[in-house]
Amino acid sequence: NGETVFNQAVRSMVNGSGGKRFTIQPGEVLVFQNQLAADSSWKTNNCEIVAFVQQVVSREILQAERRTFPELGLAEPGPVLAVTCDFNGDGKVSVSDVIALLLFQRANPGDLRGDFNRDGKVSVTDAIAMLLAQRDNTCP
């Protein structure tokens, strides 16, 4: 659902209820970095990322940019997704999947495909969440 990701992106930029406010001088460059996860079913090569700068009072769009994932050098998500307890894709749910998750995180630091608990961070807490889901039989 693109609306969910859109809402997450807007929330990450919001300062109060009016958006991230800043003052910029001609020729000055500001860089904002936000990290969002694309759903595994998305074909990111068919998606575009849009960013714009809007005048606060008049709401006039002062600058806008549109880029595709390939233009940004972002690849389609791979087959390994941490939304399931069968992280290694062997058809079984076991501690091997937790080890596979930890190895994936180590090899791909910051890659949100290793964010099992969907808190927006990649850490050992994802492995703990996976172990608890396996124990409680609540695996997605």
Side-chain angles (χ1 to χ4, degrees):
N1 181 336
E3 183 179 338
T4 301
V5 175
F6 173 80
N7 289 338
Q8 290 170 351
V10 171
R11 274 195 224 76
S12 73
M13 294 185 292
V14 167
N15 178 6
S17 63
K20 187 172 279 186
R21 295 173 187 251
F22 57 89
T23 302
I24 189 169
Q25 303 300 319
E28 185 180 2
V29 175
L30 293 178
V31 176
F32 298 98
Q33 292 183 350
N34 294 313
Q35 192 172 41
L36 300 167
D39 187 272
S40 62
S41 65
W42 288 21
K43 300 298 179 200
T44 53
N45 287 334
N46 297 331
C47 298
E48 294 180 331
I49 300 167
V50 178
F52 60 90
V53 177
Q54 185 177 34
Q55 208 287 330
V56 175
V57 176
S58 70
R59 304 289 190 217
E60 176 187 0
I61 303 294
L62 303 174
Q63 183 177 355
E65 291 289 330
R66 179 182 81 195
R67 296 283 186 271
T68 63
F69 280 76
E71 287 173 325
L72 294 171
L74 302 173
E76 289 278 352
V80 177
L81 299 169
V83 297
T84 176
C85 286
D86 184 15
F87 192 82
N88 62 13
D90 67 355
K92 297 178 274 183
V93 173
S94 69
V95 73
S96 298
D97 296 296
V98 177
I99 295 167
L101 172 65
L102 289 168
L103 291 173
F104 177 83
Q105 289 177 339
R106 182 177 179 189
N108 305 281
D111 188 325
L112 289 178
R113 291 177 293 167
D115 181 16
F116 180 83
N117 63 9
R118 297 295 190 218
D119 65 355
K121 300 176 225 159
V122 176
S123 69
V124 71
T125 59
D126 297 297
I128 295 167
M130 183 185 284
L131 278 170
L132 293 173
Q134 288 179 354
R135 179 196 71 187
D136 299 338
N137 201 23
T138 58
C139 290

